[in-house]
Amino acid sequence: MKVDRAFKLSEHFTLGEFVRPEVKEINDDAFRCLKHLAGRLEEARKLLGNKPIKINSGYRTKEHNAEVGGVRTSFHLRGMAADIEVEGITPKQVQNKLKDWSGGMGFYTTFTHLDTRPYKARW
């Protein structure tokens, strides 16, 4: 499907926040996954005091994933992952508040990776 960057995936997230400007099309499966991810991030936003969540990296093409050193099986490739920052909250605080996140959570010093894999994973 053609990427409409202004399309609202949820109350607070647009498709453009998850897709780099050079990406003009995504497949239907990735779109559905991004819509689900946005809904889960809405839940996370509530747990974080309703503070805006900045998406540093969302959906990735294979080429972009390779450029940033992503693994070949990255959930970013399927529209199931986002690397996030929350203004005024450290990544460690984000991770503590979202400790019950049911998918994957990656602990990094400048951001938090969240994904919607069907099982709990931490690294």
Side-chain angles (χ1 to χ4, degrees):
M1 71 175 282
K2 192 171 180 95
V3 171
D4 174 359
R5 299 184 57 76
F7 182 85
K8 288 188 74 115
L9 294 170
S10 67
E11 182 180 358
H12 295 103
F13 296 101
T14 63
L15 182 57
E17 291 177 88
F18 292 89
V19 179
R20 293 174 51 88
E22 66 271 13
V23 176
K24 304 301 181 204
E25 292 191 19
I26 60 172
N27 65 49
D28 291 343
D29 287 336
F31 177 77
R32 279 191 293 277
C33 289
L34 285 170
K35 199 158 175 48
H36 176 71
L37 175 60
R40 294 287 313 282
L41 290 175
E42 290 289 353
E43 296 168 15
R45 182 182 161 120
K46 288 177 188 164
L47 293 170
L48 297 166
N50 208 32
K51 292 183 178 267
I53 293 175
K54 177 185 173 197
I55 310 297
N56 292 338
S57 182
Y59 172 78
R60 295 179 188 162
T61 62
K62 287 180 187 175
E63 296 78 19
H64 180 66
N65 192 58
E67 287 171 15
V68 299
V71 297
R72 278 190 7 239
T73 57
S74 173
F75 283 93
H76 287 277
L77 295 167
R78 295 162 52 190
M80 295 174 64
D83 297 337
I84 68 165
E85 290 180 53
V86 183
E87 188 175 331
I89 304 178
T90 68
K92 183 73 171 164
Q93 291 169 320
V94 168
Q95 296 150 9
N96 286 337
K97 288 182 184 251
L98 300 180
K99 66 183 180 303
D100 294 328
W101 180 266
S102 62
M105 183 185 305
F107 300 87
Y108 299 91
T109 55
T110 58
F111 66 92
T112 302
H113 169 97
L114 296 174
D115 66 52
T116 57
R117 69 184 71 198
Y119 55 91
K120 194 172 185 174
R122 300 292 184 268
W123 64 94

